[in-house]
Amino acid sequence: MHDPCACSDFNRAELLRAGAARAGRGLPAIEPGMPQPAGTGLDRRSFLMRGAGLALSVYGASRLGVEAFEAGVAQAAGGPADPVLVSVFLPGGWDSLSVLAPVGDARYATLRPTLKLAPGSGTTFAEDTRLMWHPAAAGLATLHAEGKVSVFPAVGYDHPDQSHFTSRHFWEVGATDTGASSGWMGRYLDVVGDPDNPLQGMALDASLAPALATTRVPVAAISDPTDYSFPARGVGDPIADPMLAAFGRMGAIPGGSDALAQARAAVRQTDGVRRSVAGFVTADGSPSYTSPVTYPTAGGDLPLRLAALAAMLAGGLPIRCVAVEGVGSYDTHTGQATSLATNLGQTVAAVLAFQRDLEARGLADRVLIQLWSEFGRRPQENGSGTDHGAGGCAFVIGTQAKGTMVGEFPGLATLDAQSNLRATSDFRAMYCSLLEQWLGVDAEQVIPGAASFARPVLVR
């Protein structure tokens, strides 16, 4: 992983996100003028004081203390095999003009005298031969050649906001609304979800992914199923497991006020997830599962998390939506050539291994993977990097993906009013298609103004 020099806005946003949604604390207050992350305000007090009809949607993280049982995660009960959407976020705004480099555009070399990629250094993009896959994106080129990648070469929204925090918020909530307080995947889960199954929405992280923030049903944050534990100060083996089991039985006691009933339900549900995840860990704390493919060793937690996710899906856990971050930062104001190649290469290698894992397990037809970032970078380089732009790229990956380009690459001859790449598709249209064609719900129940977006065909 390579960390480029990032702007202060990105660092501030990352600081806020890092403290977000930890069990028992909820999301922190943020600076005036910045949109609050979806899920803000869901903490232990609001959970206990609200009516019984609203379940807390911020649950669990690695190494929770016993005092966090009130914010536990729910029991994973078996059920039908639902379609699964795995959202992989590339933080910082990745440079679409490097991921899909327009080496055949007459202005490319002029705008990128230092950062330009040499024609022929990567695979030509078959659907628009002006474009070339970055060499580090070879795994995406391979899957695209197999018909498994739908490509958005210039995706964004009208009147783009070049703030990391604001633009990311728009993508997370599925609307250009700074006041929105629930995530787009969270609202989908509110429509179809189970009030007793937080694993339906899983953030593979120590904090809640705002895109999963719900208003009605619970979701979970699990950084690593092999490190998902509930230590109590001064209590260890052989007492810890019987103590936790006793807490779980206490959660099944009926009666009491609505607030107590909610608290007991959270305790019971927490014990259910503890037992469900325990099946993926051996007595010495190592994974109990094996993968049918070899995952890359580089890339930090991402390959480990995706390998665990494939095992959990194979184990029948009732998962519908997953959010995870890619490797590193893409806020490449300086040193872009090295940092983008490293982080992109490690992210794509992990995603390719995950796709091959799903295929080997016979699960690939159930899962789509979405890769996205909050915006693209400026076409004009600043020397060794690029500044915040507008139109970016996104990908939908899987055996059931349509595997074609959505929206055209607009070229560099005519840029927008801020000299950025013009968007030829809207991220909300992508969400509408994923909701209706893959997840099987009416997008108007989830995305504000859904009727105004044409649905690109994303699913076979």
Side-chain angles (χ1 to χ4, degrees):
M1 181 178 75
H2 190 284
D3 290 322
C5 177
C7 61
S8 58
D9 175 54
F10 182 66
N11 287 332
R12 180 170 65 247
E14 284 302 290
L15 177 64
L16 293 169
R17 299 287 175 174
R22 295 188 186 280
R25 287 204 294 120
L27 289 153
I30 65 171
E31 295 180 13
M34 298 178 72
Q36 292 185 331
T40 297
L42 290 171
D43 56 18
R44 176 175 177 268
R45 177 178 294 274
S46 63
F47 167 59
L48 293 174
M49 296 305 293
R50 292 181 185 185
L54 177 64
L56 179 66
S57 58
V58 178
Y59 291 117
S62 176
R63 298 194 180 281
L64 300 182
V66 170
E67 68 278 2
F69 269 120
E70 304 96 312
V73 288
Q75 171 178 340
D82 295 306
V84 178
L85 178 64
V86 179
S87 173
V88 183
F89 172 55
L90 290 302
W94 64 350
D95 180 35
S96 61
L97 300 183
S98 290
V99 180
L100 279 172
V103 295
D105 190 292
R107 290 197 69 195
Y108 175 62
T110 302
L111 293 167
R112 298 285 179 93
T114 302
L115 295 178
K116 65 179 181 294
L117 298 179
S121 59
T123 302
T124 298
F125 180 57
E127 294 176 83
D128 186 336
T129 56
R130 293 174 297 171
L131 305 177
M132 182 189 76
W133 293 98
H134 192 290
L140 287 178
T142 296
L143 291 172
H144 182 258
E146 296 172 5
K148 299 172 184 173
V149 182
S150 295
V151 177
F152 293 74
V155 65
Y157 53 92
D158 292 337
H159 310 296
D161 190 303
Q162 295 174 51
S163 157
H164 289 290
F165 203 91
T166 302
S167 190
R168 174 176 173 175
H169 176 78
F170 290 166
W171 278 76
E172 287 169 339
V173 302
T176 54
D177 178 2
T178 58
S181 59
S182 60
W184 79 276
M185 290 192 291
R187 292 196 299 277
Y188 156 71
L189 293 172
D190 280 335
V191 173
V192 304
D194 185 335
D196 292 320
N197 173 29
L199 291 183
Q200 61 206 333
M202 180 187 296
L204 293 177
D205 201 344
S207 60
L208 175 72
L212 288 171
T214 64
T215 63
R216 189 182 67 84
V217 300
V219 294
I222 300 177
S223 179
D224 180 355
T226 66
D227 192 31
Y228 193 88
S229 57
F230 297 85
R233 185 176 301 173
V235 179
D237 293 334
I239 300 172
D241 281 347
M243 178 195 70
L244 294 171
F247 270 101
R249 290 192 295 272
M250 288 171 61
I253 299 173
S257 66
D258 288 345
L260 285 175
Q262 263 191 298
R264 288 189 179 115
V267 172
R268 182 181 68 255
Q269 293 166 352
T270 298
D271 183 63
V273 144
R274 180 184 69 86
R275 289 183 284 104
S276 295
V277 175
F280 296 92
V281 189
T282 64
D284 64 3
S286 60
S288 63
Y289 55 87
T290 58
S291 299
V293 302
T294 300
Y295 278 80
T297 56
D301 290 332
L302 181 63
L304 302 175
R305 288 170 172 169
L306 292 178
L309 174 59
M312 287 189 279
L313 291 170
L317 295 192
I319 298 167
R320 291 177 181 265
C321 293
V322 180
V324 64
E325 285 198 4
V327 178
S329 163
Y330 293 82
D331 194 26
T332 50
H333 292 277
T334 62
Q336 175 172 302
T338 299
S339 64
L340 184 138
T342 299
N343 296 333
L344 177 64
Q346 292 178 0
T347 297
V348 169
V351 170
L352 176 61
F354 178 60
Q355 177 63 30
R356 297 305 191 213
D357 192 345
L358 296 173
E359 292 169 3
R361 294 178 187 270
L363 299 172
D365 286 352
R366 284 189 55 213
V367 182
L368 283 183
I369 307 161
Q370 176 206 14
L371 269 61
W372 65 280
S373 192
E374 65 262 42
F375 45 60
R377 314 296 293 186
R378 293 183 72 81
Q380 177 79 57
E381 69 176 50
N382 65 19
S384 68
T386 53
D387 298 323
H388 300 182
C393 57
F395 306 96
V396 174
I397 303 165
T399 56
Q400 293 304 303
K402 180 66 174 176
T404 56
M405 182 169 62
V406 178
E408 63 179 357
F409 177 71
L412 301 175
T414 302
L415 303 176
D416 73 8
Q418 285 73 45
S419 298
N420 286 316
L421 188 71
R422 293 177 291 114
T424 60
S425 59
D426 194 293
F427 74 96
R428 292 162 292 184
M430 172 171 40
Y431 291 172
C432 288
S433 292
L434 288 171
L435 287 162
E436 293 178 350
Q437 299 167 20
W438 182 243
L439 298 174
V441 301
D442 183 349
E444 294 197 34
Q445 296 179 274
V446 178
I447 303 298
S452 64
F453 301 107
R455 279 40 165 184
V457 179
L458 296 184
V459 179
R460 294 182 187 275

